[in-house]
Amino acid sequence: MDSPPQDSLSEGKPVADHIEASPQKTEKIDTTRTDEAMKVLAHYTGEQSWEPSEEKRLVRKIDWRLLPVLCMTYGLQYYDKAMLSQAAIFGLRQDLGLIVGNRYSMSAAIFYLGFIVGAYPTMFLAQRYPIHHVASGIVTLWGICLILTSVCHNYQSLYAQRFFLGLLESGISPMFMMIVGGWYKKNEQALRMGIWYSCTGYVSIFSPLINYGLGHIKGSLSSWKYMYLFAGALTIFWGVCLEFLLPSDPVSARGFNERERYISVARMRTNNSGVRNTHFKMGQVVELALDIKFWLIFFTAFLAMIANAPVSTFTPIIINSFGFSTLESLLLVIPAGFYGGTMMLILPWLGYKYTSKGIRSWLVIGGQIVTTVACLLLLLLPLNETGGLLFACYILPTMGAGYAVLMGLQIGNIAGYTKRSLSSSGLYIGYCLGNFVGPLCFREQDSPRYVPGFIVTVVTSVIAAVLVFVYRFVCLYDNRRRDATGVLEGFENAYQDDLTDKTNPQFRYTV
């Protein structure tokens, strides 16, 4: 892990050495204007500097306390969300009348309408109340909703179940972005985003095997229903565990002593974005709505995720159309999960390793280019070229690795707690819109080639790459303009004023 960064005034000492004298313990801290981290800084009376080795040990402790919980939760979310595509080849489409028209595509798409409806209310709760309470509650409720899939008896009831499942799952990714933004410095965030997001790929290594076994249970229920009963019960159990296992932010997390809590908060000044503020600020809402950088990221997520439809909803069906059996189709999904998960680690790691080189936006663009190539192969290769078609299916999820880097860019380049929480939800709404539109482009009558769908994904993937390039240009332009004023990057106002990236002249954007 990295040692504490140095500002232009330092002589090799950690940033904490430049914190101004702390207020007396009797002084009341105004958390309407300032970040709640000020309470930790103000009430700490110990040594205010630390060695890089001490910070490194603390970051390692944070990693072990936080990342396994985020990974397990996000892995469960993707396992539950993507189960539809695996249950589909075990009779779900026939039992619920989904083989007519676009009913199956709509059952996948309507999930993301629930995401869109639920994202902002969930993030409002997460800002107002401790995140671990909110996360535990919604994970438990979505587990209950998942179990109820087994009582669906037609496509209308499945539509309702999928909508509410999406609504309940909607807050997890934005909340996790906020958690990472509150615990890790800018240069550390990309890798941590990639670690938990990579579970969307790695869970696909195990879920086909689990669901294949569950799908062969001979009982009174249809085989696909046992998949949902098992997954729902597991999710409910984990939701209860989250109440005790998830550390929400450095200000209030259990299991850290006073000095660890102080260093956790003080080192985050270099983000210039605060740790936690429970007061909703309309001024920051307006600023976000007028921020071109937010909209560039939003539309990038929207367009990039249209290509996620064949990844999360149609891959087993597409592979099955190549002439493979049900078991073979599930087994052949596993390499795609391994590749996707590994790329979701490699690209964020490169962004973390070479932060000073400004390569994160190039990594996102690279992910889009690889996905574009995969879509072209699936569009143009003859059906008898099975090896090439499978290769295309396997590299198709690369845009997901780029999205993991994109999340790090978004959370690192937005300051102001209200603005940051809303932008996290906004990014996810773009993600959801793409995932809603994507399945509708892949119509039943177009199988097995899905030519119109892959034409759409090629075009949208290219446009998404162009938008990232524009985003990079805008960020670099703003950095140069701020440098020209003579105000250098600094961290004096990191917590005191809950400044946004727009109103803090010392803020610099990462590209």
Side-chain angles (χ1 to χ4, degrees):
M1 305 300 172
D2 291 349
S3 59
Q6 300 166 12
D7 62 28
S8 59
L9 300 176
S10 72
E11 298 177 354
K13 296 181 181 180
V15 173
D17 287 356
H18 303 302
I19 298 177
E20 296 179 0
S22 300
Q24 297 299 316
K25 291 187 177 182
T26 56
E27 183 178 337
K28 181 176 176 62
I29 304 300
D30 175 15
T31 56
T32 301
R33 292 183 63 251
T34 65
D35 195 276
E36 291 204 356
M38 285 295 292
K39 293 190 293 187
V40 176
L41 300 179
H43 296 161
Y44 179 72
T45 57
E47 173 60 45
Q48 293 188 2
S49 62
W50 62 85
E51 295 296 326
S53 58
E54 187 177 9
E55 182 177 1
K56 185 176 181 180
R57 287 193 301 272
L58 174 61
V59 173
R60 190 180 298 116
K61 178 178 179 177
I62 294 169
D63 284 341
W64 282 109
R65 287 287 309 278
L66 191 61
L67 295 180
V69 180
L70 301 186
C71 287
M72 179 65 181
T73 309
Y74 207 73
L76 265 180
Q77 185 192 44
Y78 194 78
Y79 175 48
D80 297 347
K81 180 172 63 177
M83 189 175 298
L84 181 72
S85 65
Q86 296 174 27
I89 59 176
F90 278 95
L92 177 140
R93 288 184 296 171
Q94 291 78 8
D95 288 354
L96 301 184
L98 298 176
I99 56 176
V100 178
N102 264 9
R103 289 178 182 175
Y104 176 70
S105 296
M106 179 56 74
S107 68
I110 201 169
F111 175 89
Y112 292 98
L113 282 184
F115 259 52
I116 294 168
V117 172
Y120 277 115
T122 303
M123 285 307 293
F124 174 79
L125 292 174
Q127 180 173 4
R128 185 68 182 85
Y129 303 103
I131 290 180
H132 63 286
H133 294 331
V134 179
S136 175
I138 66 172
V139 171
T140 303
L141 288 173
W142 107 45
I144 295 171
C145 186
L146 194 68
I147 280 183
L148 293 177
T149 313
S150 62
V151 303
C152 294
H153 58 282
N154 55 28
Y155 72 93
Q156 294 99 329
S157 57
L158 182 67
Y159 284 179
Q161 185 276 336
R162 293 282 296 172
F163 174 84
F164 284 106
L165 184 64
L167 187 147
L168 290 167
E169 292 189 21
S170 62
I172 289 300
S173 183
M175 278 195 289
F176 283 9
M177 291 172 66
M178 293 298 296
I179 289 171
V180 170
W183 280 101
Y184 294 104
K185 296 186 291 189
K186 278 187 180 182
N187 64 314
E188 300 167 345
Q189 290 170 3
L191 178 59
R192 274 67 183 191
M193 293 283 192
I195 288 173
W196 60 261
Y197 192 72
S198 70
C199 294
T200 62
Y202 285 133
V203 76
S204 298
I205 298 174
F206 307 104
S207 62
L209 301 176
I210 296 171
N211 288 331
Y212 183 77
L214 293 170
H216 280 76
I217 294 176
K218 304 300 181 184
S220 58
L221 301 176
S222 299
S223 58
W224 58 268
K225 294 186 178 182
Y226 292 104
M227 301 179 189
Y228 283 101
L229 291 172
F230 171 79
L234 180 60
T235 303
I236 292 170
F237 170 77
W238 184 248
V240 175
C241 292
L242 276 180
E243 175 66 27
F244 308 99
L245 297 178
L246 179 63
S248 53
D249 60 69
V251 176
S252 58
R254 298 182 292 262
F256 293 86
N257 61 38
E258 185 182 16
R259 178 158 179 78
E260 289 173 335
R261 195 181 305 280
Y262 170 77
I263 297 175
S264 296
V265 167
R267 77 189 201 96
M268 296 297 291
R269 293 177 67 224
T270 59
N271 285 358
N272 261 329
S273 58
V275 174
R276 182 166 178 80
N277 190 300
T278 60
H279 299 276
F280 190 82
K281 301 179 180 179
M282 275 304 300
Q284 295 188 14
V285 178
V286 174
E287 181 178 312
L288 180 69
L290 299 176
D291 192 339
I292 186 175
K293 289 186 286 296
F294 166 73
W295 291 110
L296 287 169
I297 291 284
F298 174 88
F299 283 109
T300 298
F302 165 57
L303 294 169
M305 284 301 120
I306 289 176
N308 198 43
V311 176
S312 62
T313 307
F314 288 91
T315 296
I317 297 172
I318 291 171
I319 292 176
N320 191 237
S321 72
F322 298 159
F324 296 103
S325 68
T326 301
L327 175 59
E328 290 170 336
S329 299
L330 284 178
L331 293 178
L332 288 170
V333 170
I334 293 175
F338 178 80
Y339 170 84
T342 302
M343 290 302 293
M344 289 171 196
L345 286 178
I346 291 176
L347 263 63
W349 179 82
L350 290 172
Y352 162 75
K353 185 73 174 177
Y354 301 104
T355 297
S356 61
K357 305 294 184 182
I359 67 168
R360 293 191 191 183
S361 51
W362 295 125
L363 293 172
V364 180
I365 292 171
Q368 291 302 123
I369 291 172
V370 175
T371 291
T372 302
V373 171
C375 292
L376 286 171
L377 291 175
L378 287 166
L379 180 63
L380 301 174
L381 283 178
L383 281 176
N384 60 357
E385 294 288 344
T386 307
L389 291 169
L390 283 174
F391 172 75
C393 286
Y394 294 158
I395 66 171
L396 192 60
T398 311
M399 49 78 195
Y403 180 76
V405 179
L406 193 72
M407 288 192 296
L409 276 177
Q410 174 79 328
I411 203 69
N413 283 343
I414 297 286
Y417 199 84
T418 298
K419 184 179 180 182
R420 192 151 52 103
S421 63
L422 293 178
S423 69
S424 298
S425 297
L427 174 65
Y428 216 55
I429 286 177
Y431 168 96
C432 294
L433 285 173
N435 278 283
F436 174 76
V437 171
L440 299 180
C441 299
F442 289 78
R443 302 176 300 175
E444 186 73 25
Q445 61 264 38
D446 297 326
S447 64
R449 294 314 304 257
Y450 297 106
V451 172
F454 282 115
I455 290 175
V456 170
T457 56
V458 167
V459 173
T460 54
S461 295
V462 171
I463 296 175
V466 172
L467 290 180
V468 177
F469 180 79
V470 175
Y471 176 82
R472 177 185 178 87
F473 172 81
V474 172
C475 288
L476 290 174
Y477 173 79
D478 278 352
N479 285 346
R480 287 194 296 269
R481 182 172 54 82
R482 294 180 184 206
D483 290 342
T485 66
V487 179
L488 300 177
E489 184 175 17
F491 316 110
E492 289 87 350
N493 299 313
Y495 298 143
Q496 284 86 337
D497 301 308
D498 190 28
L499 294 177
T500 67
D501 55 288
K502 286 279 191 180
T503 57
N504 184 358
Q506 295 180 331
F507 190 95
R508 295 297 184 274
Y509 297 99
T510 301
V511 294

